[in-house]
Amino acid sequence: MVSTTHHGRMRRLAMLWRIRRILRKGGKAARKFMPVRSPASNLIYWAVIGFLFLPLFVLVFYSFNAGRQAQWQGFSLVWYQRLVMDSPELWRAFTNSIMIAGGSALMATAIGTLAAIGTTRYSFRLRSTVATLSFIPMILPEIVVGVSLLVFFAGISLKLGLFTVWIAHTTFNIPYVYLLVSARLEESDPSIIEAAKDLGANEMQILFRIILPMALPGILSAFLTAVTLSLEDFVITFFVTGPGGTTLPLYIYSMIRFGVSPVINALSAVMVAGTVLLVYPARNFLKVFAAR
Amino acid sequence: MKQRAGFLYTLPQILWLLVFFLAPLCIIIAYSFLKKGLYGGVEPQFSLEAYQAMANPSILMVAWRTLRISVIATILTILIALPCGYSIARSSNQAIRLFLVIVPFWTNFLVRIYAWIAILGNEGFINDIIRWVAPGSAGIQFLYNQWAVVLVLVYMYLPYAILPLFSTIDKFDFTLLDAARDLGATRFQSYTRVLLPNIRSGLVTAGLFTFVPIFGAYAVPLLIGGKDSYMLGNIIADQLTKTRNWPLASAISMTVTLSTTILVFLVALRKPKEQKWVFDADPSAAMSAAGGR
Amino acid sequence: MLHGGAAVKGSDVTVSGVSKSFGAFKALKDVTLSIQKGEFFSLLGPSGCGKTTLLRLIGGFEDPDAGTIEIDGRSVLGLPPDKRHCNTVFQSYALFPHLTVFENVAFPLRIRKTPRKIIDDRVMHYLSLVQLEMHAGKKPSQLSGGQKQRVAIARALINEPSILLLDEPLSALDAKLRQHMLMELDSIHDKVGITFIYVTHDQQEALSVSDRIAVMNAGEVLQVGSPRQIYENPSTEFVARFIGETNIFAMKITGKEGVHISGKVAGIGPLLVDDETDAQVGDEALATIRPEKIRISREKPQTNGGRINIMHGVVAEPIYSGFQTKYIVRLDSGMTVTVFRQHANWSEGIPDIDWKDEVYLSFSAADMVIVERRAT
């Protein structure tokens, strides 16, 4: 008897939710009828999109140029060939970048997620201090973070190289992971955890069966963000790197500074295509996953 | 029990940030008050030399230039980002429009800088077109000046401004604009008197997201700018790696850090009740483009 | 039924042949209406019927695809909202959250650079009209729903428009407050004497305050008339069903003598209707009777030769609601009829009718109305 009423209530609740969603969608659809009565802002938007894409088009265009100079001398795939066959240093830098990105994102995700759970679930004396401490690295100019780490590593006589790069990347990734996972955790309904407790789950079970699965989309997107940030970073890496610690951005930097080879055009084109082809499906997957 | 559990969860993060963030920062503070060593490094002796050296007119001039470039670039970025964010927010396919803004920023930061060199350079895309239109004309050097730096900085940080502006404008009730028009305001007045005051938090976030990184810019002035566009970031790096005056590099770093932190806290804490930190705008949206540092 | 008292100051509005589409969706199809000076005129219909679109067209927020809109005999097509002498009270109130109550109401005057002294006087005058002088310094977020509503009204009135457009202004309020605000709106209308055009989906609201009502559905105006006309003499099946509750019989006309019509309802039998209609003998027609006009009894009532319809059935569901009981009666044919029975004489020993009781329903031919067969 009890279970049937409970079941009935659940179904009614589910129905209410569906109606609410339809109503909301209806609201959005109704807004569609309202025309955008500001053609000027639309114009500026499309001009900006043109501005944002212009460099990418130029790169792809030159990557197919037969000549060494920027002037167009006919279609050729020679730079792509060079990129694949004849650039061992580039590939070493690429491998380094992947290793650093994966390694630092993993470490930062582990540390940041734990801290996010700690500060959203529990209240303790240092809570707001932790939040502030985690926030500051994000607002500091990168160059300051890079300089201070370099000075620090020199002070403790740590040899600069891949290891110091990994430490630096983990450091600047932690605040982002912490913020993203906290945001996700704060969104979730606290009564779910109370319900789990009410149903007899202990702390560990709540952590592994409720909190972590619920925060999983947030954790994954934090991990991906950390990977992206790490792959991107130039300034901080520039200061803390040493022999054997060349990442892809550093390699590109040295190409720009000391003799441009059009291989860089081909590399850029491949990276543009690669990110669009890889990141978009990954984000979409995440979105579907998160909406589940 | 609960207190200890929460603390334990956060312990790894606290330790990591203490050792690799706070400690280095403290070392910099300490170094800025020490004497510079003969071959780099420092002598353990208290001194205000570094801060006196900062009063050097050439450094003051760079500081002033850094401030000027940052302010101009930030204002330009916001002026462009505002109508963009508005147009995305009012569009019926927001997702696609946002996506188009973000895509270029999945490309590596340095690749994008290089692309601008390929566009603006002596042998670049624009000069290519000029030679094609008017054969034999001498190339025009667009690179290596302050305006090139401002242009590329605006390019780099546009999404940082567009995303928070979009997410605040999206929460704005557009019937308020109808109401303002209904009550006699012109379209322009409805924007300045109703829209802008209600998206202030978005403007603040967008301003901080662009101003702070531009103020500490290093790579863009280095690669795009010339001698006349050196910024504080470049001076710090030079003092550290070339001149090897670590106390001076530390002192400038401290000044940059303090001024940005004070700015952020001043702006962010001004209306503490109505906005949740500076991230009143959706932080995750702002960070989906976090590629473009 | 115009309200006396205040001089009539409003404008009249003529809408002729107006159509409006949003993409493939036809929001308005060839709508023609005329609204008189000083009238409290309601646009009533379900959501999506085009009533809000029509209001936005009159207010100047959209332009029609075809047709004209005239205010006081002059076309207002192409005129921006602020040049039309009408102001709008929005469904969501649309109060400016960054301004205080006073500043909200003063907004139109400040836009026009009105001198400070005049602003102060006018704003306080209109705030006192809506009884909010005490709250002038508050921000909208500190007000209750009803107070926000009153600020919106004061703000819309301060320009002294000749037409006030109200877009479902009470829909966000709870039932009790809605009743109260409705009466207040009515008294404000009496005081200012301008034309009110009121959009609502709530038939009770429309019936209780309007001078006239236009019932709309699917982009068309189905009927325009006083609340009484709309309720007592609906022109189409949709209007009959949308306003209040009703019972509808599909019949074939078997005889016609002036307004005296007799018909046959499949499975039920003969039906007498007194109404004017163009329908002829042999035509199919719909006849409707309101639930409160049907008498319910356990004994078979006498017709005494009058034109009275009598039907037999069983009470399928009695729904008690204090002041009346609603009976759903299943006729022998299987059709259900709704009947309202007032409790006026409850204590006088009238036998109670309950679930599964066999009952007779009787209603006069004169109370029946023939409606157009149009579900939409």
Side-chain angles (χ1 to χ4, degrees):
Chain A
M1 185 56 209
V2 173
S3 79
T4 50
T5 42
H6 178 70
H7 192 67
R9 203 171 295 158
M10 292 286 280
R11 273 173 54 176
R12 212 168 332 145
L13 214 80
M15 205 183 65
L16 276 176
W17 271 101
R18 202 173 319 142
I19 291 172
R20 221 179 87 142
R21 214 162 62 205
I22 292 166
L23 281 179
R24 276 197 180 164
K25 274 192 185 156
K28 279 252 154 144
R31 239 179 68 182
K32 271 187 195 169
F33 291 136
M34 278 192 213
V36 181
R37 281 178 309 272
S38 176
S41 74
N42 269 330
L43 210 71
I44 294 173
Y45 172 81
W46 289 113
V48 164
I49 293 299
F51 174 60
L52 293 181
F53 273 88
L54 171 76
L56 308 193
F57 283 124
V58 169
L59 281 182
V60 174
F61 175 72
Y62 281 130
S63 72
F64 295 112
N65 186 6
R68 197 158 232 296
Q69 242 67 56
Q71 267 150 311
W72 182 252
Q73 294 178 358
F75 180 85
S76 158
L77 289 176
V78 62
W79 306 116
Y80 286 92
Q81 194 195 344
R82 283 268 186 89
L83 171 68
V84 180
M85 315 289 287
D86 199 18
S87 313
E89 276 178 61
L90 189 153
W91 288 109
R92 208 170 304 128
F94 179 76
T95 323
N96 283 343
S97 266
I98 296 288
M99 273 162 49
I100 292 292
S104 70
L106 217 58
M107 191 68 188
T109 307
I111 292 176
T113 302
L114 279 181
I117 291 172
T119 49
T120 44
R121 276 221 53 205
Y122 305 94
S123 61
F124 52 97
R125 225 178 315 142
L126 289 173
R127 199 168 81 150
S128 62
T129 318
V130 173
T132 315
L133 177 68
S134 313
F135 176 69
I136 294 176
M138 278 200 305
I139 59 170
L140 283 196
E142 289 186 286
I143 182 132
V144 174
V145 177
V147 165
S148 64
L149 274 171
L150 168 61
V151 171
F152 173 75
F153 290 143
I156 61 168
S157 320
L158 194 61
K159 216 169 149 277
L160 297 182
L162 267 187
F163 182 60
T164 48
V165 173
W166 174 75
I167 289 178
H169 283 214
T170 306
T171 308
F172 69 67
N173 273 333
I174 285 176
Y176 287 93
V177 173
Y178 172 75
L179 191 82
L180 283 174
V181 178
S182 306
R184 175 81 196 184
L185 285 174
E186 266 162 25
E187 263 173 33
S188 60
D189 183 359
S191 62
I192 291 176
I193 288 168
E194 278 162 23
K197 253 185 222 157
D198 184 55
L199 297 168
N202 64 31
E203 282 296 309
M204 275 297 132
Q205 286 167 325
I206 288 176
L207 176 64
F208 283 102
R209 288 171 184 243
I210 312 283
I211 298 178
L212 282 179
M214 272 197 323
L216 195 58
I219 296 172
L220 275 178
S221 95
F223 177 80
L224 278 190
T225 305
V227 168
T228 329
L229 288 173
S230 168
L231 285 177
E232 271 293 304
D233 182 72
F234 164 70
V235 176
I236 295 174
T237 321
F238 178 79
F239 287 102
V240 299
T241 193
T246 302
T247 60
L248 198 56
L250 286 177
Y251 182 77
I252 298 172
Y253 170 75
S254 67
M255 274 175 100
I256 297 174
R257 288 236 96 174
F258 315 107
V260 179
S261 149
V263 171
I264 198 176
N265 289 330
L267 174 66
S268 312
V270 169
M271 285 174 74
V272 173
T275 39
V276 172
L277 289 182
L278 274 176
V279 180
Y280 188 51
R283 297 248 162 197
N284 258 0
F285 167 76
L286 260 187
K287 243 185 244 160
V288 173
F289 188 80
R292 232 175 26 152
Chain B
M1 150 75 204
K2 285 205 84 178
Q3 284 234 350
R4 187 160 334 138
F7 183 69
L8 280 179
Y9 276 118
T10 45
L11 196 58
Q13 176 154 324
I14 295 175
L15 284 180
W16 188 285
L17 291 179
L18 277 183
V19 174
F20 296 117
F21 174 69
L22 223 50
L25 216 54
C26 292
I27 292 178
I28 287 211
I29 299 174
Y31 273 26
S32 72
F33 290 107
L34 294 179
K35 234 175 139 65
K36 99 184 210 338
L38 261 180
Y39 309 100
V42 285
E43 304 264 325
Q45 191 185 340
F46 179 82
S47 146
L48 287 173
E49 263 174 34
Y51 289 93
Q52 278 158 4
M54 263 176 49
N56 181 326
S58 71
I59 292 182
L60 285 182
M61 204 188 70
V62 173
W64 165 241
R65 179 194 298 146
T66 305
L67 189 67
R68 202 181 49 207
I69 290 182
S70 310
V71 168
I72 293 176
T74 304
I75 290 175
L76 280 177
T77 307
I78 295 214
L79 282 182
I80 300 172
L82 200 55
C84 277
Y86 181 81
S87 125
I88 299 171
R90 294 219 78 170
S91 159
S92 51
N93 38 17
Q94 298 182 338
I96 294 173
R97 289 202 171 194
L98 272 180
F99 181 66
L100 283 178
V101 168
I102 295 169
V103 164
F105 288 80
W106 289 340
T107 320
N108 190 283
F109 174 66
L110 279 164
V111 167
R112 274 175 286 138
I113 293 186
Y114 171 68
W116 278 104
I117 296 176
I119 291 172
L120 299 174
N122 241 335
E123 303 287 324
F125 185 67
I126 296 179
N127 276 314
D128 245 20
I129 293 176
I130 291 176
R131 283 195 205 98
W132 183 66
V133 175
S137 61
I140 304 168
Q141 183 55 276
F142 295 104
L143 276 178
Y144 313 126
N145 61 62
Q146 286 186 31
W147 290 111
V149 172
V150 169
L151 173 82
V152 176
L153 284 173
V154 168
Y155 178 87
M156 290 294 169
Y157 295 101
L158 252 181
Y160 284 75
I162 291 177
L163 291 174
L165 280 174
F166 156 74
S167 64
T168 19
I169 296 177
D170 191 43
K171 284 182 217 141
F172 176 77
D173 176 8
F174 292 112
T175 49
L176 294 184
L177 293 181
D178 281 346
R181 298 278 283 134
D182 182 66
L183 298 168
T186 62
R187 182 179 290 165
F188 185 73
Q189 281 173 321
S190 75
Y191 291 146
T192 54
R193 291 189 170 219
V194 177
L195 180 68
L196 287 187
N198 281 301
I199 58 164
R200 257 203 8 220
S201 66
L203 288 168
V204 167
T205 313
L208 285 181
F209 276 12
T210 43
F211 183 86
V212 170
I214 290 178
F215 192 67
Y218 168 70
V220 174
L222 182 71
L223 296 170
I224 299 284
K227 276 271 171 290
D228 76 328
S229 16
Y230 243 50
M231 290 171 66
L232 281 178
N234 306 93
I235 300 254
I236 296 175
D238 276 0
Q239 292 301 333
L240 199 67
T241 55
K242 288 185 190 149
T243 327
R244 301 195 72 75
N245 187 342
W246 287 25
L248 182 55
S250 304
I252 303 176
S253 299
M254 276 325 298
T255 317
V256 170
T257 306
L258 272 181
S259 41
T260 48
T261 316
I262 289 172
L263 177 82
V264 168
F265 275 79
L266 275 185
V267 178
L269 295 179
R270 227 174 58 184
K271 283 186 106 189
K273 263 181 203 154
E274 283 177 38
Q275 62 187 68
K276 210 169 120 195
W277 257 116
V278 262
F279 294 110
D280 187 42
D282 179 13
S284 52
M287 263 179 297
S288 4
R293 323 219 290 172
Chain C
M1 211 176 104
L2 284 185
H3 293 276
V8 174
K9 288 180 249 170
S11 298
D12 54 54
V13 180
T14 312
V15 175
S16 31
V18 162
S19 298
K20 177 76 183 172
S21 301
F22 297 103
F25 177 71
K26 288 200 169 88
L28 290 176
K29 302 170 197 162
D30 193 23
V31 168
T32 298
L33 266 184
S34 84
I35 298 163
Q36 286 153 26
K37 269 189 203 345
E39 210 174 12
F40 198 126
F41 191 92
S42 292
L43 299 171
L44 173 64
S47 61
C49 73
K51 54 193 193 299
T52 296
T53 306
L54 183 56
L55 196 77
R56 290 176 65 83
L57 289 175
I58 296 172
F61 300 107
E62 322 260 357
D63 291 320
D65 300 335
T68 59
I69 296 171
E70 289 173 2
I71 294 178
D72 285 336
R74 256 175 301 157
S75 170
V76 292
L77 291 188
L79 279 188
D82 50 318
K83 300 271 187 292
R84 294 192 176 198
H85 297 292
C86 46
N87 283 107
T88 307
V89 176
F90 292 85
Q91 183 172 9
S92 56
Y93 319 129
L95 297 184
F96 304 130
H98 60 297
L99 303 178
T100 62
V101 167
F102 184 94
E103 289 165 333
N104 260 285
V105 179
F107 182 89
L109 303 178
R110 290 197 172 151
I111 286 282
R112 293 192 179 161
K113 306 213 161 53
T114 313
R116 231 193 120 101
K117 181 81 188 64
I118 301 180
I119 292 185
D120 289 353
D121 290 350
R122 286 260 292 276
V123 170
M124 289 324 278
H125 171 74
Y126 278 96
L127 281 180
S128 69
L129 180 74
V130 296
Q131 297 156 29
L132 276 179
E133 351 32 337
M134 305 302 292
H135 302 281
K138 286 189 180 166
K139 286 276 178 77
S141 56
Q142 296 167 284
L143 300 180
S144 70
Q147 289 171 331
K148 283 183 196 168
Q149 186 56 69
R150 284 186 225 158
V151 178
I153 293 169
R155 191 181 66 174
L157 287 173
I158 199 153
N159 266 342
E160 304 191 333
S162 55
I163 303 166
L164 189 68
L165 307 174
L166 302 110
D167 183 6
E168 307 235 10
L170 307 182
S171 62
L173 305 178
D174 62 59
K176 260 229 168 93
L177 197 53
R178 205 179 306 167
Q179 274 306 318
H180 179 74
M181 278 305 298
L182 205 57
M183 293 304 111
E184 213 158 292
L185 263 182
D186 199 23
S187 86
I188 290 172
H189 178 240
D190 287 350
K191 279 184 209 151
V192 296
I194 61 173
T195 312
F196 274 35
I197 304 179
Y198 184 88
V199 160
T200 182
H201 65 271
D202 185 315
Q203 33 121 357
Q204 279 310 333
E205 279 177 23
L207 291 175
S208 51
V209 290
S210 313
D211 293 320
R212 285 195 305 149
I213 300 172
V215 183
M216 297 183 66
N217 189 37
E220 289 176 277
V221 173
L222 299 178
Q223 188 174 4
V224 181
S226 69
R228 210 191 161 104
Q229 285 168 334
I230 299 264
Y231 185 80
E232 301 291 346
N233 215 340
S235 64
T236 70
E237 184 186 353
F238 177 84
V239 176
R241 285 191 192 279
F242 188 71
I243 314 283
E245 285 191 63
T246 202
N247 300 292
I248 291 187
F249 298 93
M251 65 174 187
K252 192 179 181 88
I253 298 177
T254 54
K256 183 177 180 188
E257 277 174 50
V259 296
H260 298 311
I261 292 159
S262 42
K264 202 170 155 43
V265 181
I268 291 178
L271 189 71
L272 302 174
V273 179
D274 291 355
D275 195 14
E276 283 178 28
T277 176
D278 297 334
Q280 296 304 318
V281 174
D283 287 353
E284 298 282 342
L286 295 180
T288 165
I289 178 83
R290 296 281 180 194
E292 72 275 15
K293 290 176 181 153
I294 302 177
R295 262 176 47 85
I296 184 168
S297 57
R298 274 201 241 162
E299 290 84 34
K300 186 167 184 172
Q302 298 302 309
T303 60
N304 295 329
R307 287 174 61 78
I308 308 261
N309 296 297
I310 297 178
M311 293 174 185
H312 177 258
V314 175
V315 174
E317 208 165 343
I319 301 159
Y320 177 80
S321 61
F323 66 101
Q324 68 173 20
T325 302
K326 173 178 173 175
Y327 292 99
I328 312 282
V329 176
R330 189 174 304 283
L331 299 183
D332 299 338
S333 69
M335 176 182 170
T336 57
V337 172
T338 306
V339 181
F340 294 152
R341 187 185 187 215
Q342 297 297 313
H343 296 166
N345 306 315
W346 199 247
S347 53
E348 288 174 18
I350 290 177
D352 195 10
I353 298 171
D354 214 338
W355 187 43
K356 283 188 172 170
D357 283 352
E358 289 198 18
V359 288
Y360 289 93
L361 306 179
S362 58
F363 47 96
S364 158
D367 287 336
M368 295 205 74
V369 176
I370 290 188
V371 295
E372 239 180 278
R373 180 194 286 280
R374 260 211 314 195
T376 57

